């Protein structure tokens, strides 16, 4: 009797395991979408294991990138692309319109995947860290620019700035009027230094490449951020 029932029991066990796996996947998709590469990227999702992959997948797909912003209270405006000729140009080009903080200088034109990475970094890393560590929101982000038709300093390789796929962040102004400056505050041992360290560490899971004061002397006063690359964070 038991021998005749064994195939049925096996099928029941397989079905039960399959159902349990399906429910576990369903739970993971609902609770941890940031870790699953097949779940569409959202600026409102926490930063997770798949965030960098999803941001990188936006390259060459401006409509998908723009749709990402359309689902939030943030906004970017599409700009005409300028194909590299041969090394300098702007692809997936947008202008920042409304982010969690203003940018200084105010007109920021860059590749849309980088805009998406900045939005996620601001919302999921920078603003929470500022509130927790400094007791204030970030009102403005000071930067050294995005597009620059040039090679990497001291190298024959072209910079990602030559295609507006990088931005250099120099500091921030809080809503209470306080300023945070990388050149002055990095490694200062106080709350400003702790804040900068936290947003650098958090940024490592968002940006494909993040270079700061610990990288070399050329970056002593800014974070170089780009959506491309995977895991380069110094």
């Amino acid at each position: 009797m038991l021998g005749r029932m064994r195939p049925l029991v096996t099928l029941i066990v397989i079905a039960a395991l399959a159902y349990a796996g399906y429910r576990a996947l369903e739970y993971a998709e609902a609770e941890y979408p940031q870790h699953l590469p097949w779940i569409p990227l959202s600026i409102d999702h926490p930063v997770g294991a798949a965030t960098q992959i999803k941001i990188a997948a936006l390259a060459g797909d401006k409509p998908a990138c723009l749709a990402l912003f359309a689902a939030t209270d943030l906004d970017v405006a599409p700009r005409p692309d300028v194909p590299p000729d041969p090394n300098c140009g702007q692809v997936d080009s947008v202008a920042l319109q409304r982010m969690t903080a203003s940018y200084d200088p105010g007109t920021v034109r860059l590749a849309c995947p980088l805009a998406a990475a900045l939005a996620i970094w601001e919302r999921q890393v920078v603003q929470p860290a500022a509130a927790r560590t400094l007791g204030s929101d970030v009102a403005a982000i000071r930067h050294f620019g995005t597009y620059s038709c040039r090679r990497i300093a001291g190298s024959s390789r072209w910079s990602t700035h030559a295609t507006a796929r990088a931005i250099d962040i120099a500091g921030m102004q809080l809503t209470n009027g306080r300023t945070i400056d990388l050149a002055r505050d990095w490694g200062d041992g106080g709350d400003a230094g702790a804040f900068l360290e936290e947003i650098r560490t958090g940024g490592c899971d968002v940006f494909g490449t993040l270079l700061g004061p610990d990288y070399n002397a050329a970056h002593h006063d800014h974070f170089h951020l780009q959506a491309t690359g995977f895991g380069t964070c110094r």
Side-chain angles (χ1 to χ4, degrees):
M1 180 68 176
L2 182 59
R4 291 196 298 270
M5 293 292 292
R6 186 172 288 116
L8 178 60
V9 171
T10 300
L11 287 174
I12 292 172
V13 170
I14 291 173
L17 290 173
Y19 178 73
Y22 169 77
R23 292 303 302 269
L25 180 60
E26 193 175 54
Y27 175 81
E29 289 180 340
E31 297 296 324
Y32 304 105
Q34 68 272 25
H35 300 312
L36 304 176
W38 60 85
I39 300 296
L41 180 66
S42 170
I43 291 171
D44 294 325
H45 286 166
V47 178
T51 301
Q52 287 183 349
I53 296 171
K54 295 177 184 182
I55 292 172
L58 295 173
D61 192 349
K62 189 188 288 190
C65 190
L66 293 172
L68 186 69
F69 282 91
T72 73
D73 57 350
L74 307 181
D75 190 30
V76 298
R79 299 181 65 251
D81 288 353
V82 181
D85 182 25
N87 300 299
C88 298
Q90 299 186 37
V91 180
D92 297 330
S93 185
V94 299
L96 300 185
Q97 294 282 90
R98 184 174 60 253
M99 303 289 275
T100 71
S102 63
Y103 276 71
D104 180 23
T107 302
V108 182
R109 302 180 180 93
L110 70 177
C112 195
L114 177 57
L118 283 172
I120 293 168
W121 185 56
E122 288 180 35
R123 177 159 284 178
Q124 305 300 333
V125 179
V126 174
Q127 296 290 9
R132 180 173 54 254
T133 306
L134 304 174
S136 179
D137 293 335
V138 172
I141 297 175
R142 187 165 56 89
H143 67 97
F144 290 152
T146 56
Y147 177 75
S148 178
C149 184
R150 62 174 174 83
R151 290 178 169 84
I152 298 171
S155 169
S156 61
R157 291 184 296 130
W158 284 89
S159 170
T160 46
H161 284 287
T163 48
R165 292 179 294 134
I167 186 170
D168 292 337
I169 303 298
M172 302 184 183
Q173 182 172 341
L174 308 183
T175 54
N176 64 12
R178 183 180 179 185
T179 60
I180 306 297
D181 182 81
L182 264 86
R184 180 191 66 215
D185 298 323
W186 181 262
D188 72 346
D191 59 352
F195 166 71
L196 290 173
E197 180 70 33
E198 183 172 347
I199 66 173
R200 190 278 300 269
T201 301
C204 291
D205 295 323
V206 177
F207 299 98
T209 300
L210 190 158
L211 306 176
D214 287 347
Y215 179 59
N216 61 18
H219 294 79
H220 76 281
D221 59 354
H222 68 275
F223 291 140
H224 169 96
L225 309 176
Q226 61 185 67
T228 54
F230 289 96
T232 303
C233 186
R234 301 177 187 174

